[in-house]
Amino acid sequence: KQEVTQIPAALSVPEGENLVLNCSFTDSAIYNLQWFRQDPGKGLTSLLLIQSSQREQTSGRLNASLDKSSGRSTLYIAASQPGDSATYLCAVDSGNNDMRFGAGTRLTVKP
Amino acid sequence: GAVVSQHPSWVICKSGTSVKIECRSLDFQATTMFWYRQFPKQSLMLMATSNEGSKATYEQGVEKDKFLINHASLTLSTLTVTSAHPEDSSFYICSATYSGNTIYFGEGSWLTVV
């Protein structure tokens, strides 16, 4: 059974700093991996989707990488802003739409 | 792009009553819909998978008689929490996909049982 772990559980950084969020998964046989953002009291917003054949995806200040063999993905946020404060979730799809989520990293960007 | 809509976004109900949450795919036919639950500071956990026209498949530990899922059409799935109790208070979110393509998530529904 796929298990997804996110480190750290919480992170607080000053505005403008670059940061990296980590996600690891136990079974490298995945279909794709997604990073989501969840604001308090809100639903999920999909940020980046990486197919199993891809190594990375970029959208604006966000860059997500995938290393299937080592079971790792990272989400890089450049020049962080207070508006980036949210919980970031990593989800692994092992095929047959069997998605497993990590517990998330709660990010706070201080002005 | 594809949109999945959930309703209601927020609901408060009394203990012992039932509450229904709807999940609709607005511009595509969802052959499969998923229901997740998230308790505070925990990850989303899959509750059940439903395919249109057939019974839902529940994950281990999820009571199918308590969490009734109906996927009556290709654009609508409903989750009914029966005889709700305060411990059922949680964030419930659905997702939908067409034939195994990209999964789209609803906005989620916050349930508070008082």
Side-chain angles (χ1 to χ4, degrees), chain A residues 32-71:
Chain A
N32 63 48
L33 183 147
Q34 286 194 65
W35 283 93
F36 294 89
R37 168 183 174 141
Q38 185 178 35
D39 293 283
K42 304 285 187 178
L44 298 181
T45 301
S46 180
L47 298 174
L48 291 164
L49 168 67
I50 311 177
Q51 300 292 349
S52 62
S53 58
Q54 298 174 323
R55 297 281 294 185
E56 67 177 347
Q57 283 287 325
T58 298
S59 175
R61 295 183 292 108
L62 305 179
N63 175 277
S65 68
L66 174 63
D67 184 343
K68 263 198 329 176
S69 60
S70 66

Coordinates of all heavy atoms in Angstrom, one line a residue, chain A residues 32-71:
Chain A
N32 N 1.1 9.2 -11.6 CA 1.4 10.6 -11.6 C 1.5 11.1 -10.2 O 1.1 10.4 -9.2 CB 0.5 11.5 -12.5 CG -0.9 11.5 -11.9 OD1 -1.2 11.7 -10.8 ND2 -1.9 11.3 -12.9
L33 N 2.0 12.3 -10.0 CA 2.0 13.0 -8.7 C 1.5 14.4 -8.8 O 1.9 15.1 -9.8 CB 3.5 12.9 -8.2 CG 3.8 13.5 -6.8 CD1 4.9 12.7 -6.1 CD2 4.1 15.0 -6.8
Q34 N 0.7 14.8 -7.9 CA 0.2 16.2 -7.9 C 0.6 16.9 -6.6 O 0.6 16.3 -5.5 CB -1.3 16.2 -8.0 CG -1.8 15.8 -9.4 CD -3.3 16.2 -9.6 OE1 -3.7 17.3 -9.6 NE2 -4.1 15.2 -9.8
W35 N 0.8 18.2 -6.8 CA 0.9 19.1 -5.6 C -0.4 20.0 -5.6 O -0.8 20.5 -6.6 CB 2.1 20.0 -5.7 CG 3.4 19.2 -5.4 CD1 4.2 18.6 -6.3 CD2 4.0 19.1 -4.1 NE1 5.3 18.1 -5.6 CE2 5.2 18.4 -4.2 CE3 3.6 19.5 -2.8 CZ2 6.0 18.0 -3.2 CZ3 4.4 19.2 -1.8 CH2 5.6 18.5 -1.9
F36 N -0.9 20.1 -4.4 CA -2.1 20.9 -4.2 C -1.8 21.9 -3.1 O -1.0 21.8 -2.3 CB -3.3 20.0 -3.7 CG -3.8 19.0 -4.7 CD1 -3.2 17.8 -4.7 CD2 -4.8 19.3 -5.5 CE1 -3.7 16.8 -5.6 CE2 -5.3 18.4 -6.4 CZ -4.8 17.1 -6.5
R37 N -2.7 23.0 -3.2 CA -2.7 24.0 -2.2 C -4.0 23.9 -1.5 O -5.1 23.8 -2.2 CB -2.4 25.3 -2.8 CG -2.6 26.5 -1.9 CD -2.4 27.8 -2.6 NE -2.8 28.9 -1.7 CZ -2.1 30.0 -1.6 NH1 -1.1 30.3 -2.3 NH2 -2.6 30.9 -0.7
Q38 N -4.0 24.1 -0.2 CA -5.3 24.1 0.6 C -5.2 25.3 1.5 O -4.4 25.3 2.4 CB -5.5 22.8 1.3 CG -6.9 22.8 2.0 CD -7.1 21.5 2.7 OE1 -6.2 20.8 3.2 NE2 -8.4 21.0 2.7
D39 N -6.1 26.2 1.3 CA -6.3 27.4 2.2 C -7.2 27.0 3.3 O -8.2 26.2 3.1 CB -6.7 28.6 1.5 CG -5.7 29.1 0.5 OD1 -4.7 29.7 1.0 OD2 -5.8 28.9 -0.7
P40 N -7.1 27.6 4.5 CA -8.0 27.3 5.6 C -9.4 27.4 5.3 O -9.8 28.5 4.7 CB -7.5 28.3 6.7 CG -6.1 28.6 6.4 CD -6.0 28.6 4.9
G41 N -10.2 26.4 5.5 CA -11.6 26.5 5.2 C -12.0 26.4 3.8 O -13.2 26.6 3.4
K42 N -11.0 26.1 2.9 CA -11.3 26.1 1.5 C -11.0 24.7 0.9 O -10.4 23.8 1.6 CB -10.4 27.1 0.8 CG -10.5 28.5 1.3 CD -11.8 29.2 0.8 CE -11.8 30.6 1.2 NZ -13.1 31.3 0.7
G43 N -11.3 24.5 -0.3 CA -11.0 23.2 -1.0 C -9.6 23.2 -1.5 O -8.7 24.0 -1.2
L44 N -9.3 22.2 -2.3 CA -8.0 22.0 -2.9 C -7.9 22.7 -4.2 O -8.8 22.8 -5.0 CB -7.8 20.5 -3.2 CG -7.8 19.6 -2.0 CD1 -7.5 18.1 -2.5 CD2 -6.8 20.0 -1.0
T45 N -6.7 23.3 -4.4 CA -6.3 23.9 -5.7 C -5.1 23.1 -6.3 O -4.1 23.0 -5.6 CB -5.9 25.4 -5.5 OG1 -7.0 26.0 -5.0 CG2 -5.6 26.0 -6.9
S46 N -5.3 22.6 -7.4 CA -4.2 21.8 -8.0 C -3.1 22.8 -8.5 O -3.4 23.8 -9.2 CB -4.7 21.0 -9.2 OG -3.6 20.3 -9.8
L47 N -1.9 22.6 -8.1 CA -0.8 23.5 -8.5 C 0.0 22.9 -9.7 O 0.2 23.6 -10.7 CB 0.2 23.7 -7.3 CG -0.4 24.3 -6.1 CD1 0.6 24.3 -5.0 CD2 -0.9 25.7 -6.4
L48 N 0.5 21.7 -9.6 CA 1.3 21.1 -10.6 C 1.0 19.6 -10.6 O 0.8 19.0 -9.6 CB 2.8 21.3 -10.3 CG 3.3 22.7 -10.5 CD1 4.7 22.9 -9.8 CD2 3.4 23.1 -12.0
L49 N 1.0 19.1 -11.8 CA 0.8 17.6 -12.0 C 2.0 17.1 -12.8 O 2.4 17.6 -13.9 CB -0.5 17.4 -12.8 CG -0.7 16.0 -13.4 CD1 -0.9 15.0 -12.3 CD2 -1.9 15.9 -14.4
I50 N 2.7 16.1 -12.3 CA 3.8 15.5 -13.0 C 3.5 14.1 -13.3 O 3.2 13.3 -12.5 CB 5.1 15.5 -12.1 CG1 5.3 16.9 -11.4 CG2 6.3 15.1 -12.9 CD1 6.5 16.9 -10.5
Q51 N 3.5 13.8 -14.6 CA 3.3 12.4 -15.1 C 4.5 11.6 -14.7 O 5.6 12.1 -14.5 CB 3.0 12.3 -16.6 CG 1.8 13.2 -17.0 CD 0.5 12.6 -16.5 OE1 0.4 11.5 -16.0 NE2 -0.5 13.4 -16.7
S52 N 4.3 10.3 -14.6 CA 5.4 9.4 -14.2 C 6.6 9.4 -15.1 O 7.8 9.2 -14.7 CB 4.9 7.9 -14.1 OG 4.5 7.5 -15.4
S53 N 6.4 9.8 -16.4 CA 7.5 9.9 -17.4 C 8.2 11.2 -17.3 O 9.3 11.4 -18.0 CB 6.9 9.7 -18.8 OG 6.0 10.7 -19.1
Q54 N 7.7 12.2 -16.5 CA 8.3 13.5 -16.5 C 9.2 13.6 -15.3 O 9.1 12.9 -14.3 CB 7.2 14.6 -16.4 CG 6.4 14.6 -17.7 CD 5.2 15.5 -17.6 OE1 4.6 15.7 -16.5 NE2 4.9 16.1 -18.7
R55 N 10.2 14.6 -15.4 CA 11.1 14.8 -14.2 C 10.7 16.1 -13.5 O 11.0 16.2 -12.3 CB 12.5 15.0 -14.8 CG 13.0 13.8 -15.5 CD 13.5 12.8 -14.5 NE 14.7 13.3 -13.8 CZ 15.4 12.5 -12.9 NH1 15.0 11.3 -12.7 NH2 16.4 13.0 -12.2
E56 N 10.1 17.1 -14.2 CA 9.7 18.3 -13.5 C 8.6 19.0 -14.2 O 8.4 18.8 -15.4 CB 10.9 19.2 -13.2 CG 11.5 19.8 -14.5 CD 12.6 20.7 -14.1 OE1 12.8 21.1 -13.0 OE2 13.3 21.1 -15.1
Q57 N 7.9 19.9 -13.5 CA 6.9 20.8 -14.1 C 7.1 22.2 -13.4 O 7.4 22.3 -12.2 CB 5.5 20.3 -13.8 CG 5.1 19.1 -14.7 CD 4.8 19.6 -16.1 OE1 4.3 20.7 -16.4 NE2 5.1 18.7 -17.0
T58 N 6.9 23.2 -14.2 CA 7.0 24.6 -13.7 C 5.8 25.4 -14.0 O 5.2 25.2 -15.0 CB 8.2 25.2 -14.3 OG1 9.4 24.5 -14.0 CG2 8.4 26.7 -13.9
S59 N 5.4 26.2 -13.0 CA 4.3 27.1 -13.2 C 4.6 28.4 -12.4 O 4.6 28.4 -11.2 CB 3.0 26.5 -12.7 OG 1.9 27.5 -12.8
G60 N 5.0 29.5 -13.1 CA 5.3 30.7 -12.4 C 6.5 30.5 -11.4 O 7.6 30.1 -11.8
R61 N 6.3 30.8 -10.2 CA 7.3 30.7 -9.2 C 7.4 29.3 -8.6 O 8.2 29.1 -7.7 CB 7.0 31.7 -8.0 CG 7.1 33.2 -8.5 CD 6.9 34.1 -7.3 NE 5.5 34.1 -6.8 CZ 5.2 33.5 -5.6 NH1 6.1 33.0 -4.8 NH2 3.9 33.5 -5.2
L62 N 6.6 28.4 -9.1 CA 6.6 27.0 -8.6 C 7.3 26.1 -9.5 O 7.1 26.2 -10.7 CB 5.2 26.5 -8.4 CG 4.3 27.4 -7.5 CD1 2.9 26.8 -7.4 CD2 4.8 27.6 -6.1
N63 N 8.1 25.2 -8.9 CA 8.7 24.1 -9.7 C 8.7 22.9 -8.9 O 9.1 22.8 -7.8 CB 10.2 24.5 -10.0 CG 10.9 23.4 -10.7 OD1 11.4 22.4 -10.1 ND2 11.0 23.4 -12.0
A64 N 8.1 21.8 -9.5 CA 8.0 20.5 -8.9 C 8.9 19.5 -9.6 O 8.9 19.5 -10.8 CB 6.6 20.0 -8.8
S65 N 9.6 18.8 -8.9 CA 10.5 17.7 -9.5 C 10.0 16.3 -9.0 O 9.3 16.2 -8.0 CB 11.9 17.9 -9.0 OG 12.1 17.7 -7.7
L66 N 10.3 15.4 -9.8 CA 10.0 14.0 -9.5 C 11.1 13.0 -9.7 O 11.7 13.0 -10.8 CB 8.8 13.5 -10.3 CG 8.3 12.1 -10.2 CD1 7.9 11.8 -8.8 CD2 7.2 11.7 -11.2
D67 N 11.5 12.3 -8.7 CA 12.5 11.2 -8.9 C 11.8 9.9 -8.5 O 11.8 9.6 -7.3 CB 13.7 11.5 -8.0 CG 14.8 10.5 -8.2 OD1 14.5 9.4 -8.7 OD2 16.0 10.8 -7.8
K68 N 11.3 9.2 -9.4 CA 10.5 8.0 -9.1 C 11.3 6.9 -8.5 O 10.9 6.3 -7.5 CB 9.9 7.4 -10.4 CG 8.5 7.8 -10.7 CD 7.8 6.9 -11.7 CE 8.7 6.3 -12.8 NZ 8.0 5.4 -13.6
S69 N 12.6 6.8 -8.9 CA 13.4 5.7 -8.4 C 13.7 5.8 -6.9 O 13.7 4.8 -6.2 CB 14.7 5.6 -9.2 OG 15.4 6.8 -9.1
S70 N 13.8 7.0 -6.5 CA 14.1 7.3 -5.1 C 12.8 7.6 -4.3 O 12.8 7.7 -3.1 CB 15.1 8.4 -4.9 OG 14.5 9.6 -5.3
G71 N 11.7 7.6 -5.0 CA 10.4 7.9 -4.3 C 10.3 9.3 -3.7 O 9.9 9.4 -2.6

